[in-house]
Amino acid sequence: MWIPNLPITVITGVAATAGLVSLFKDMYGGPAYEKEASAEGKTIIITGANDGIGREATWEFAKRGAKVFMACRDMARCEAARKEIVLETGNKYVYCRPCDLADTNSIRNFVERFKSEEPHVHVLVNNAAVMEPPQGITKDGFETQLGVNHMGHFLLTHLLIDTLKASTPSRVITVTCSAYSRGDINKEDLNFSKNYDAHAAYNQSKLANVLFSRELGRRMLEADIAVLAVDPGLTDTNLTRNLAMSKSLTRFIIYPLFWPMMKKPRVGAQTILHAALEPKLQNCKGDYFVDMKPGKLTEKGEDYESAIWLWKVSEKWTKAYHHKALLQKAFAA
C-alpha cells in the first residue's frame, strides 16, 4: 500500500493553493484595456507618476507613443522610474518635472515651465494622493489630504484649462475611490483643525475629487473637454503606508487576507488608460467609472450644492480666481 510522504504532500498542497490564489487574483483584477488605441501625438501630464498606478499608467501611455510629463514631488524617484520606463518602452519622450501638490507655488512653477515648453496638453491625469498621514498642513495651510488630493489638483487643472482648451479634444481624469461614498464635506471645519480625524479627512478628500469632476464637467458642457472621475478599485500600492496596521504586526495577518483581491498596479492603471484613450468617452462630463464600467454615484456624489460650495471655497483658498479672467476667455473662445 502506497503512503504519501507528508512533507511532499504539504509542499505540493501549498504550491497548488498558491497557484490557485494567484490565478484568482489575476482573474479578479479584471481585463486589460487591450484596444489598439494609440496615444501617438498626445501630450499627457500625470501626477504621482513615479510609483504605483501612476507609474504603470505612465508606462502604458509611453508604450502607446505618447509624450508624457511625470509631475512628481520626489525628483530622484521620478528619474529612476522614468529611466526604467524609457528603456522598457523605447519611448524617449518621457520627462520628469517637479510638482509638489502640497505647495501652490510649486504647482504654478510647474505650469509656467510646462507652458514654456509645450503648446498642448491632451490628457491631464490627477492621480497623486496621500492616505491618512500624521496630522499636518501643506505650505498653504490646507489639511494635508485635502491639500494634496483635492486643492492641488483643483489649482493644477485651473491653470491648465486654457491649454486644454487649445488642445481639444482633450480630457481631465481624476482618480478617486469608493471611500468618497463614506465622506462628507465638513463645511464647518474643512481642514479638520478642531477635531482631526484622518480617516474622515481622507474620505472627504475623495468625495471632493468626485464633486470637483462633476462641477468641472458641468462647466465644460460647451467645450470639447471630457471630464471623468475613475475608481481603479482595490490595488496593491504604497498608498496605505501611513495606516496604523501597515506599521504593526497586524499587517502580516491582514495583508495576506486581502492580497488575493488586490489588483496589481498595472491592472489598476487600466482604468486610467481606458478613460484617457477610449474614443466613446469624449462626451463625458463628470461621469464616474469603476473598472472601466460606468458607475452609479451616491447622493453625496451628486450633491450639486456641495459641489458649487466646494468649488467656490477651493477657488478662493488656492487663489485660482486670479486665473478666472483667463478661464472665461478660454471658454468663450
Side-chain angles (χ1 to χ4, degrees):
M1 181 179 178
W2 177 76
I3 300 176
N5 182 288
L6 184 59
I8 293 177
T9 301
V10 172
I11 293 172
T12 301
V14 170
T17 301
L20 288 172
V21 169
S22 295
L23 181 61
F24 170 79
K25 181 180 178 69
D26 288 339
M27 292 177 64
Y28 179 84
Y33 181 64
E34 295 179 345
K35 288 191 176 182
E36 295 300 319
S38 173
E40 289 279 353
K42 292 185 181 295
T43 298
I44 297 173
I45 295 174
I46 179 167
T47 64
N50 59 268
D51 194 20
I53 291 175
R55 182 197 182 284
E56 298 305 324
T58 300
W59 188 96
E60 292 278 12
F61 288 136
K63 188 69 175 176
R64 292 173 183 249
K67 180 186 290 186
V68 188
F69 286 80
M70 304 169 70
C72 301
R73 177 181 58 84
D74 189 327
M75 283 297 96
R77 293 177 63 195
C78 183
E79 187 58 31
R82 187 198 70 82
K83 287 180 179 178
E84 290 180 357
I85 292 168
V86 169
L87 288 173
E88 292 172 7
T89 65
N91 184 345
K92 65 180 181 180
Y93 300 107
V94 180
Y95 307 98
C96 285
R97 294 292 183 267
C99 183
D100 184 353
L101 292 168
D103 181 356
T104 57
N105 284 331
S106 176
I107 297 168
R108 293 178 188 278
N109 290 338
F110 166 82
V111 172
E112 183 178 359
R113 179 178 177 181
F114 176 83
K115 289 183 176 182
S116 72
E117 298 173 329
E118 294 291 323
H120 300 293
V121 57
H122 302 97
V123 181
L124 169 62
V125 183
N126 294 322
N127 165 73
V130 291
M131 183 180 189
E132 300 189 29
Q135 183 176 7
I137 57 174
T138 68
K139 290 186 177 181
D140 300 277
F142 312 142
E143 186 274 321
T144 301
Q145 296 174 97
L146 179 71
V148 173
N149 300 355
H150 168 64
M151 293 292 181
H153 286 132
F154 179 91
L155 178 61
L156 178 64
T157 305
H158 264 65
L159 296 176
L160 287 168
I161 282 293
D162 55 335
T163 309
L164 285 159
K165 176 72 175 181
S167 310
T168 55
S170 54
R171 302 186 183 190
V172 177
I173 298 161
T174 301
V175 179
T176 185
C177 68
S178 60
Y180 91 85
S181 64
R182 300 185 292 277
D184 292 290
I185 301 301
N186 189 356
K187 295 180 180 180
E188 300 302 317
D189 185 13
L190 198 58
N191 265 336
F192 280 89
S193 56
K194 298 176 182 177
N195 185 22
Y196 185 69
D197 183 329
H199 187 63
Y202 176 73
N203 293 345
Q204 173 183 252
S205 73
K206 293 290 98 180
L207 175 57
N209 289 155
V210 172
L211 294 175
F212 168 58
S213 292
R214 298 294 291 173
E215 180 58 16
L216 182 64
R218 188 183 71 82
R219 291 175 181 240
M220 293 194 180
L221 289 175
E222 302 302 321
D224 193 11
I225 303 175
V227 182
L228 302 94
V230 300
D231 176 3
L234 185 62
T235 307
D236 191 3
T237 70
N238 288 326
L239 182 63
T240 59
R241 62 187 178 277
N242 291 310
L243 298 183
M245 69 176 184
S246 297
K247 300 178 181 179
S248 67
L249 292 176
T250 57
R251 70 182 184 276
F252 296 110
I253 299 173
I254 296 176
Y255 181 78
L257 291 176
F258 281 95
W259 184 83
M261 294 176 287
M262 297 174 75
K263 299 177 183 179
K264 297 175 183 177
R266 184 151 305 169
V267 176
Q270 300 306 305
T271 302
I272 295 175
L273 192 68
H274 169 256
L277 301 179
E278 175 55 48
K280 296 178 181 178
L281 303 185
Q282 186 56 40
N283 292 326
C284 289
K285 300 295 181 183
D287 299 64
Y288 174 61
F289 282 81
V290 182
D291 292 336
M292 296 186 283
K293 298 177 182 178
K296 182 174 176 55
L297 289 169
T298 64
E299 289 185 8
K300 293 180 180 180
E302 296 275 12
D303 190 339
Y304 171 75
E305 291 185 358
S306 289
I308 290 289
W309 182 89
L310 181 65
W311 183 281
K312 290 180 178 179
V313 171
S314 302
E315 197 173 56
K316 182 177 181 180
W317 283 18
T318 63
K319 296 181 173 61
Y321 52 77
H322 290 314
H323 197 63
K324 205 166 187 178
L326 187 58
L327 272 174
Q328 292 171 342
K329 183 178 178 181
F331 285 119

